[in-house]
């Protein structure tokens, strides 16, 4: 499922116009993104949690040339699936 399919599903389930459902989905995604930018953890019970993992700077290597490259520190979002979702997906 991609974002437009999610918008269509919200619109169909709640009887909303596509435009209104798109606004709702975008608002949720924007709020989640803003929270992660601020370093907050997002936890949705029964679904999972989003956290930011910080990685230190290190010296990497260009695989083509073998040249050493300084890699800057970075922060990446990470999703950890919740127990309930894991069980529902694994159910046969």
């Amino acid at each position: 499922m991609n974002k437009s399919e999610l918008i269509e599903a919200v619109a169909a389930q709640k009887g909303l116009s596509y435009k209104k459902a798109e606004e709702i989905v975008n608002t949720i995604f924007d709020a989640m993104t803003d929270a992660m930018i601020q370093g907050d953890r997002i936890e949705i019970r029964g679904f999972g949690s989003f956290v930011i993992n910080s990685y230190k700077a290190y010296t990497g290597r260009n695989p083509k040339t073998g040249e050493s490259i300084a890699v800057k520190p970075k922060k990446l979002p990470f999703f950890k699936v919740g127990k309930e979702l894991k069980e529902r997906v694994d159910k046969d």
Side-chain angles (χ1 to χ4, degrees), residues 12-23:
Q13 279 190 354
K14 297 300 175 185
L16 301 170
S17 68
Y18 183 89
K19 198 73 171 161
K20 187 66 175 172
E22 181 180 31
E23 188 178 312

Side-chain angles (χ1 to χ4, degrees), residues 30-62:
D30 290 345
M32 291 173 71
T33 301
D34 291 344
M36 285 190 283
I37 288 170
Q38 294 174 10
D40 294 339
R41 171 189 167 112
I42 300 169
E43 185 175 331
I44 303 169
R45 299 285 167 134
F47 184 73
S49 59
F50 296 87
V51 295
I52 299 295
N53 286 344
S54 297
Y55 297 92
K56 295 179 181 178
Y58 64 93
T59 303
R61 187 181 64 83
N62 182 333

